[in-house]
Amino acid sequence: MLTPTYPITTPRLTLRPFTPDDLHDLHAYESLPDVARYLYWEPRDLDTTRAFLDKKIARTTLHDEGEALDIAITLTDTGELAGNCVLIWTSKQHRQGEIGYVLHPRFHGHGYAAEATRPLLALGFDDLGLHRIVGRLDARNHASARVLEKLGMRREAHLIDNEYVKGQWASELVYALLAREWHHR
């Protein structure tokens, strides 16, 4: 079980649970085709964003495998919602997890994704006791691959045309980091 102490702070960011007040800022980026381009979902209308926000609001602790922490990424100086990051507990038996992140394009290119995700790696390895954490992404998403590499994750797989997404075959990259590698950094 993992119940983080919120907020989680980094030099430039405050990571916190989502609230109902985040609806319009969340929709501002979830509705963009550029944001949804490499994800499993299409741009979201306001009602769909609201439904997913309700799920995000509830996902603040990990009690068992299959659950996720969904965390709002805000700029400490301004309080602006820059995006969100997630830690998923994928297997209790094998002590596995997965990380992910989505940022509003206005906040791309500043290192925020890696800065926000690094504390999730710490939560997974140090607090939850995970052995391995992966990051999975569309193989065309070069910017996201650079984020995972910046975090010290290694590319372990390039799965060619492994999923049929949005009417076309998509390839996937899998990056991973082990607890022993994390602790030796």
Side-chain angles (χ1 to χ4, degrees):
M1 185 173 134
L2 173 63
T3 304
T5 301
Y6 297 106
I8 300 165
T9 58
T10 70
R12 302 177 297 165
L13 304 173
T14 300
L15 310 178
R16 59 163 176 80
F18 276 94
T19 72
D21 293 338
D22 292 318
L23 176 62
H24 293 288
D25 291 335
L26 179 63
H27 183 254
Y29 65 88
E30 284 196 347
S31 64
L32 298 174
D34 278 356
V35 169
R37 174 179 39 182
Y38 298 128
L39 301 173
Y40 291 106
W41 39 269
E42 296 291 347
R44 293 179 171 158
D45 61 26
L46 188 61
D47 288 335
T48 304
T49 299
R50 182 179 289 110
F52 278 93
L53 176 59
D54 289 343
K55 291 178 183 179
K56 290 177 188 309
I57 289 170
R59 293 166 52 154
T60 60
T61 62
L62 295 175
H63 296 285
D64 206 350
E65 68 179 69
E67 295 181 343
L69 295 176
D70 237 321
I71 300 174
I73 303 168
T74 63
L75 301 184
T76 300
D77 290 346
T78 65
E80 291 176 274
L81 181 66
N84 59 279
C85 53
V86 63
L87 171 64
I88 306 165
W89 189 2
T90 57
S91 173
K92 183 184 266 186
Q93 177 183 355
H94 303 291
R95 296 174 36 218
Q96 307 279 315
E98 181 177 340
I99 56 168
Y101 40 84
V102 178
L103 268 69
H104 190 295
R106 280 191 356 238
F107 301 103
H108 288 179
H110 300 284
Y112 295 141
E115 185 174 334
T117 309
R118 194 169 283 109
L120 296 186
L121 292 172
L123 288 171
F125 289 128
D126 301 336
D127 297 341
L128 193 56
L130 296 179
H131 170 70
R132 183 172 186 272
I133 298 177
V134 301
R136 300 178 314 116
L137 61 145
D138 187 300
R140 299 168 295 176
N141 193 343
H142 304 292
S144 188
R146 285 191 301 276
V147 169
L148 297 174
E149 290 164 1
K150 185 187 272 188
L151 291 167
M153 300 180 88
R154 93 187 132 284
R155 188 168 113 177
E156 291 190 335
H158 185 168
L159 308 171
I160 308 298
D161 287 354
N162 69 311
E163 294 181 311
Y164 197 71
V165 180
K166 299 178 184 177
Q168 64 182 350
W169 287 104
S171 297
E172 179 181 32
L173 297 178
V174 178
Y175 281 77
L177 186 66
L178 298 175
R180 67 175 176 260
E181 297 165 327
W182 171 256
H183 292 119
H184 284 111
R185 300 191 131 285

